[in-house]
Amino acid sequence: MENNLIFVKLGGSLITEKSAPYTINYDAIRRIVKEIKEAIDAKQDLNLLIGHGGGSFPHPIAQSFRTIEGFIQTNSVRGFALCQNAASTLNRIVVDLLLDYGVDAVSIQPTACCIAENGEISDFFIKPIEASINNDITPIVFGDCVFDTIRGCTVVSTEQILTYLSKYIRPSRVLIFELVGGVYTADPQKDKKAKLIPEITVENFSTVESYLGGSYSVDVTGGMLKKVKELLKIAKRGIECEILSGQSGNIKKALKGERGLGTIIKPITLFN
Amino acid sequence: MENNLIFVKLGGSLITEKSAPYTINYDAIRRIVKEIKEAIDAKQDLNLLIGHGGGSFPHPIAQSFRTIEGFIQTNSVRGFALCQNAASTLNRIVVDLLLDYGVDAVSIQPTACCIAENGEISDFFIKPIEASINNDITPIVFGDCVFDTIRGCTVVSTEQILTYLSKYIRPSRVLIFELVGGVYTADPQKDKKAKLIPEITVENFSTVESYLGGSYSVDVTGGMLKKVKELLKIAKRGIECEILSGQSGNIKKALKGERGLGTIIKPITLFN
């Protein structure tokens, strides 16, 4: 039996203008928030945990200061502070809009509750997120820079956060909304012959991997291959993931239960 | 021997216009940030942990939804979300200004890292704050609404946070900068005969308590008496606290080591 909790990621390139630093895509974000609100209103027992990427807010800073690598140079501390500021600035806009549209959303800042070890989340204070969900409040996490026990600091992606949380707070599904509507045989923004891969399974993963090798949609937290590998960890807990387009009604449809709008990463259990 | 860590609180009434909702006192906050930066530059080994009050941002919401009392009515969840949003909105402005003036500040959101039990902090994920201080980054906490194991939610003051943290991260001093420059025999804003109490000790506390009873400077997290009681808990750990005015150069002076600008709450040890 399914529970009513869905983990949702809103890609940074979906809600910001990736080519222009510190620029929100207000048209997209307003439509998305409206779809989320409509899905919540249509299904009263739906619980969401939403994460969003950083897009053109923290990414250029993280890239310039190489924040993911740690405190590696004299200006790394400054970079960390600026990167967190940028990530939180975007998060404020997202949460503010969700509240404006009637979603009882509360920000949960990863820097404050999460520690990494060599780039992987090793410690997460999850009580506020649990309390939030138990009280019908939608927690909003985000790709953020966090302290790291080995590197000093690093950057963790929304996918890493969702993967970690899925160990302790089991969602029924994980939906990754991006500008690109799924996993393709090549970068669909560059190659017109690129075809959507409807399903990723244990069996076809090595083929998929060969398609994704390289620079397909690279940002500071890794490209599509890293995203898929992260989601496979969730799938290995028996939880279905889907990467799909955040455009034109897809969010509402998917939250209402529709499947197969993008690429499904099939849940992997000991028995299949 | 003193360590180089000072806990600083910037009162909400100092950095916002308390009479007008969602209004920053930009003149005050810019001057304060400049003083903090000058103090850091003058004393290279100085480490700060800064907390700020909510002033006219979360307080009117917290009051109207009675957020400190918990999830007591149907709109409490909405109130919690709005209150957190307001607290974080003010925090963004404070951290943004600190960064602009060259302080490597990083926001640490209490909702994300702190849980209360019946109004008192019972659990706090302090690793990010420790890592921050160890890396010469100034963590910025703030009075915030948090989840509560008994009430569902509550509001914790900056003083409560500083008290809790002083158990684990021992500062040399705690400086509470307010609009009112210390503890007086009566509310100095209402009574011209009010006199500053230069020192609070175990011996004179009951007299001080009789002065402070009642409505002196009440906000949602309690008035001056609650503040002093909270600071006495820090003083009982052998740490000196001072409540002083945040006006006109005081912050710079106090951070440089000057004492007695306001009311000192004397450290209490087993031997005095």
Side-chain angles (χ1 to χ4, degrees):
Chain A
M1 206 185 69
E2 274 198 5
N3 69 33
N4 306 309
L5 176 62
I6 299 178
F7 283 4
V8 171
K9 186 218 170 174
L10 306 173
S13 53
L14 194 63
I15 59 173
T16 72
E17 300 287 356
K18 257 205 156 169
S19 52
Y22 285 90
T23 310
I24 295 282
N25 184 340
Y26 273 111
D27 282 350
I29 204 170
R30 284 212 185 91
R31 180 188 48 75
I32 288 166
V33 166
K34 198 164 163 276
E35 287 190 38
I36 289 171
K37 173 63 176 159
E38 285 169 4
I40 290 174
D41 286 347
K43 203 173 168 184
Q44 290 294 332
D45 59 353
L46 178 66
N47 277 316
L48 300 178
L49 177 145
I50 300 175
H52 62 80
S56 66
F57 281 68
H59 279 290
I61 300 168
Q63 215 145 18
S64 137
F65 288 92
R66 296 163 61 190
T67 308
I68 200 166
E69 295 173 55
F71 294 131
I72 52 168
Q73 47 202 23
T74 48
N75 66 3
S76 291
V77 157
R78 182 79 187 156
F80 179 86
L82 292 173
C83 184
Q84 205 303 301
N85 197 46
S88 276
T89 298
L90 175 59
N91 177 250
R92 291 281 74 239
I93 296 166
V94 174
V95 175
D96 219 44
L97 278 173
L98 282 162
L99 280 162
D100 277 355
Y101 278 75
V103 179
D104 295 328
V106 71
S107 183
I108 298 290
Q109 183 205 15
T111 317
C113 58
C114 169
I115 292 283
E117 184 182 330
N118 212 19
E120 295 297 327
I121 297 171
S122 58
D123 207 349
F124 205 118
F125 186 68
I126 62 167
K127 287 178 188 178
I129 291 180
E130 289 175 318
S132 187
I133 294 167
N134 290 339
N135 288 291
D136 291 326
I137 295 170
T138 302
I140 316 293
V141 296
F142 49 101
D144 200 1
C145 52
V146 302
F147 291 101
D148 187 296
T149 54
I150 308 288
R151 302 179 191 174
C153 72
T154 195
V155 175
V156 293
S157 68
T158 314
E159 283 81 7
Q160 281 176 283
I161 294 171
L162 299 186
T163 303
Y164 188 93
L165 292 178
S166 73
K167 264 192 274 188
Y168 303 97
I169 305 163
R170 195 181 164 84
S172 62
R173 298 165 73 200
V174 176
L175 299 172
I176 309 292
F177 295 101
E178 297 286 351
L179 199 58
V180 172
V183 184
Y184 285 77
T185 52
D187 185 341
Q189 294 181 308
K190 291 177 190 161
D191 185 345
K192 285 192 174 175
K193 288 182 193 155
K195 280 183 188 155
L196 182 75
I197 302 163
E199 260 187 27
I200 297 175
T201 60
V202 180
E203 288 74 20
N204 76 350
F205 178 68
S206 64
T207 318
V208 172
E209 198 172 12
S210 71
Y211 294 141
L212 300 183
S215 60
Y216 181 174
S217 221
V218 167
D219 62 27
V220 293
T221 49
M224 187 56 90
L225 181 59
K226 195 165 172 210
K227 221 179 277 283
V228 171
K229 279 187 172 170
E230 204 58 50
L231 297 177
L232 273 173
K233 293 182 195 166
I234 302 181
K236 279 182 186 159
R237 299 201 181 101
I239 299 161
E240 183 188 280
C241 301
E242 186 164 348
I243 300 176
L244 63 166
S245 162
Q247 304 292 318
S248 58
N250 264 7
I251 292 176
K252 199 173 161 185
K253 279 187 210 163
L255 289 179
K256 279 186 167 177
E258 205 166 313
R259 282 169 159 87
L261 297 162
T263 300
I264 288 180
I265 293 115
K266 295 282 280 182
I268 299 155
T269 69
L270 289 173
F271 308 102
N272 74 358
Chain B
M1 204 185 74
E2 274 199 2
N3 69 35
N4 306 309
L5 176 62
I6 299 179
F7 283 4
V8 171
K9 185 216 169 177
L10 306 172
S13 52
L14 193 63
I15 59 174
T16 72
E17 300 287 356
K18 257 207 156 168
S19 53
Y22 284 90
T23 310
I24 295 282
N25 183 341
Y26 273 110
D27 282 350
I29 204 170
R30 284 212 186 89
R31 179 188 49 76
I32 288 166
V33 166
K34 198 164 163 277
E35 286 190 39
I36 289 170
K37 173 64 176 159
E38 284 169 4
I40 290 173
D41 286 348
K43 203 173 168 186
Q44 290 293 331
D45 58 354
L46 179 67
N47 276 316
L48 300 179
L49 177 145
I50 299 175
H52 62 80
S56 67
F57 281 68
H59 279 290
I61 300 167
Q63 215 146 18
S64 136
F65 287 92
R66 297 163 59 190
T67 307
I68 200 166
E69 296 172 53
F71 294 130
I72 51 166
Q73 49 203 24
T74 49
N75 66 4
S76 292
V77 158
R78 182 78 187 157
F80 179 86
L82 292 173
C83 183
Q84 205 305 299
N85 198 47
S88 275
T89 298
L90 174 60
N91 177 251
R92 288 281 77 237
I93 296 166
V94 173
V95 174
D96 220 45
L97 278 172
L98 282 162
L99 280 162
D100 277 354
Y101 278 76
V103 178
D104 294 329
V106 71
S107 183
I108 297 290
Q109 182 205 14
T111 316
C113 58
C114 169
I115 292 283
E117 185 181 330
N118 212 19
E120 294 297 328
I121 296 171
S122 57
D123 208 349
F124 204 119
F125 186 68
I126 61 166
K127 288 178 188 178
I129 290 180
E130 289 175 318
S132 186
I133 294 167
N134 290 340
N135 287 291
D136 290 328
I137 295 169
T138 302
I140 317 293
V141 295
F142 49 102
D144 200 2
C145 51
V146 301
F147 290 101
D148 187 297
T149 54
I150 308 287
R151 302 180 191 175
C153 72
T154 195
V155 175
V156 293
S157 68
T158 313
E159 283 81 7
Q160 281 176 284
I161 294 171
L162 299 186
T163 303
Y164 189 93
L165 292 178
S166 73
K167 263 193 275 189
Y168 303 97
I169 305 161
R170 195 183 165 83
S172 62
R173 297 166 74 201
V174 176
L175 299 171
I176 308 292
F177 295 101
E178 298 286 350
L179 200 58
V180 172
V183 184
Y184 286 78
T185 52
D187 186 343
Q189 294 180 308
K190 288 177 190 160
D191 185 346
K192 285 191 172 173
K193 288 183 193 156
K195 280 183 187 154
L196 181 76
I197 302 163
E199 260 188 25
I200 298 175
T201 59
V202 181
E203 288 74 20
N204 76 351
F205 178 67
S206 63
T207 317
V208 172
E209 199 172 11
S210 70
Y211 293 140
L212 299 183
S215 61
Y216 180 173
S217 223
V218 166
D219 63 26
V220 294
T221 48
M224 187 57 90
L225 181 58
K226 195 164 173 211
K227 221 179 277 284
V228 171
K229 279 186 173 171
E230 205 57 51
L231 297 177
L232 273 173
K233 293 182 196 166
I234 302 181
K236 278 181 187 160
R237 298 200 182 102
I239 299 161
E240 183 187 281
C241 301
E242 186 164 349
I243 299 175
L244 63 167
S245 162
Q247 304 293 319
S248 59
N250 262 7
I251 293 177
K252 198 174 160 185
K253 279 188 208 162
L255 289 180
K256 279 187 168 177
E258 205 167 311
R259 282 168 160 86
L261 297 162
T263 300
I264 288 181
I265 294 115
K266 294 283 280 183
I268 299 156
T269 68
L270 289 173
F271 308 103
N272 75 359

